[in-house]
């Protein structure tokens, strides 16, 4: 198998979404005050992340639209009925703090630099093009990717095979010629492998397990893997 291109997930793969979301909400609550029903900020942060996962899954499944999942998250988090404008305003104030905390993982640029000459690069995300394009431009890496395929516009989402195949079609390559890198074992690596790509699980948290998947713990291991070096304990490729 000759890999010619890498399809990338964005959130918690390239972009440190979890840290930005946590820091942003922490700052937001410092300004807004702790909502009723939460004993402390940590409890509120955990609840916000859980609600995010629930409503993002509903959005990915087509049960609600992008603004709808945001509004329902806010209403459930605050445990009170809000009009759309009020919910949008609360979320917009949160988003300002969240965006101020945006950052790439430190191993992203070194990996992209090492892989720039030998591989083509594109993005496949379960979000929408407008939001993800803006994010990558703010982070200074949009020009590293020749194509961007997103579930909102595509109408299907990972781990459906059609989503991965759409990413390959954007590159005019066969699935067997493309690697997909993402932080979720099932949605990303498992779904990609089932669709005929080389699915790679970026296990930054060291969860381990899942021996059936190709797993790396950091992007420093990716160039060697794509070059055919599966000895993940070997010295990294970055000088």
């Amino acid at each position: 198998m000759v890999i010619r291109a890498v399809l990338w997930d964005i959130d918690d793969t390239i972009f440190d979404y979890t840290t930005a979301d946590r820091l942003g909400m922490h700052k937001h609550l410092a300004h807004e005050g702790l909502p009723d029903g939460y004993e402390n900020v940590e409890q509120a942060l955990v609840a916000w992340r859980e609600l995010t996962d629930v409503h993002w899954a509903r959005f990915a499944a087509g049960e609600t639209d992008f603004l709808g999942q945001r509004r329902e998250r806010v209403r459930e988090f605050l445990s009170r009925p809000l009009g759309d404008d009020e919910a949008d305003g609360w979320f917009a104030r949160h988003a300002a703090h969240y965006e101020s905390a945006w950052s790439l993982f430190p191993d992203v640029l070194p990996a992209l630099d090492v892989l720039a000459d030998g591989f083509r690069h594109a993005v496949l995300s379960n979000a929408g093009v407008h939001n993800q394009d803006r994010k990558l431009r703010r982070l200074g890496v949009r020009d590293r990717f020749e194509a961007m395929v997103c579930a909102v516009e595509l109408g299907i989402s990972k781990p459906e095979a059609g989503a991965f195949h759409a990413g390959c079609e954007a590159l005019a390559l066969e699935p067997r010629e493309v690697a997909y890198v993402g932080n979720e074992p099932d949605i990303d690596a498992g779904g990609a492998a089932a669709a005929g790509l080389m699915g790679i699980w970026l296990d930054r948290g060291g969860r381990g397990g899942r021996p059936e998947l190709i797993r790396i713990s950091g992007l420093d291991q990716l160039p060697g893997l794509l070059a055919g070096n599966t000895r993940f304990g070997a010295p990294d490729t970055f000088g």
Side-chain angles (χ1 to χ4, degrees):
M1 181 190 302
V2 177
I3 299 298
R4 303 185 185 280
V6 181
L7 268 176
W8 296 82
D9 176 46
I10 296 179
D11 295 338
D12 282 328
T13 297
I14 294 172
F15 160 60
D16 190 355
Y17 168 79
T18 295
T19 298
D21 186 57
R22 182 178 177 83
L23 289 175
M25 182 54 72
H26 199 286
K27 292 178 181 177
H28 182 52
L29 293 178
H31 285 80
E32 300 280 324
L34 188 67
D36 293 339
Y38 300 104
E39 296 180 2
N40 50 56
V41 171
E42 183 60 33
Q43 185 185 57
L45 293 174
V46 171
W48 177 253
R49 184 56 193 254
E50 290 174 349
L51 288 170
T52 297
D53 291 343
V54 167
H55 287 285
W56 194 259
R58 292 182 61 242
F59 168 62
E63 297 174 9
T64 184
D65 60 17
F66 187 72
L67 283 176
Q69 61 84 22
R70 282 185 169 184
R71 290 164 178 163
E72 288 308 308
R73 265 194 284 166
V74 173
R75 290 170 180 137
E76 288 193 39
F77 182 69
L78 299 179
S79 297
R80 66 174 190 262
L82 297 175
D84 287 350
D85 288 347
E86 192 175 2
D88 290 345
W90 191 95
F91 193 93
R93 296 191 297 276
H94 154 63
H97 296 295
Y98 158 64
E99 293 185 14
S100 72
W102 281 4
S103 68
L104 298 169
F105 285 101
D107 57 1
V108 171
L109 289 178
L112 289 173
D113 287 344
V114 169
L115 297 171
D117 292 334
F119 301 90
R120 297 164 63 196
H121 299 271
V123 164
L124 172 62
S125 169
N126 269 1
V129 167
H130 175 75
N131 189 53
Q132 298 297 61
D133 181 83
R134 176 172 170 270
K135 185 182 294 175
L136 292 182
R137 290 185 188 280
R138 279 273 303 273
L139 294 168
V141 293
R142 177 63 184 87
D143 62 348
R144 303 288 191 120
F145 306 99
E146 62 182 86
M148 176 178 288
V149 178
C150 291
V152 172
E153 291 74 22
L154 188 62
I156 54 176
S157 59
K158 302 177 293 180
E160 293 183 59
F164 294 100
H165 292 164
C168 296
E169 290 169 7
L171 291 162
L173 294 173
E174 296 296 322
R176 59 185 174 82
E177 298 177 294
V178 180
Y180 189 82
V181 181
N183 67 295
E184 292 291 344
D186 295 316
I187 293 173
D188 293 324
L197 292 75
M198 180 184 189
I200 302 170
W201 177 24
L202 177 58
D203 181 18
R204 292 189 183 278
R207 287 180 279 177
R210 307 300 299 273
E212 76 279 12
L213 298 177
I214 299 171
R215 184 180 72 89
I216 58 176
S217 59
L219 293 179
D220 58 325
Q221 298 167 356
L222 184 60
L225 173 62
L226 296 179
N229 177 9
T230 57
R231 296 178 297 113
F232 298 153
D236 66 51
T237 314
F238 304 161

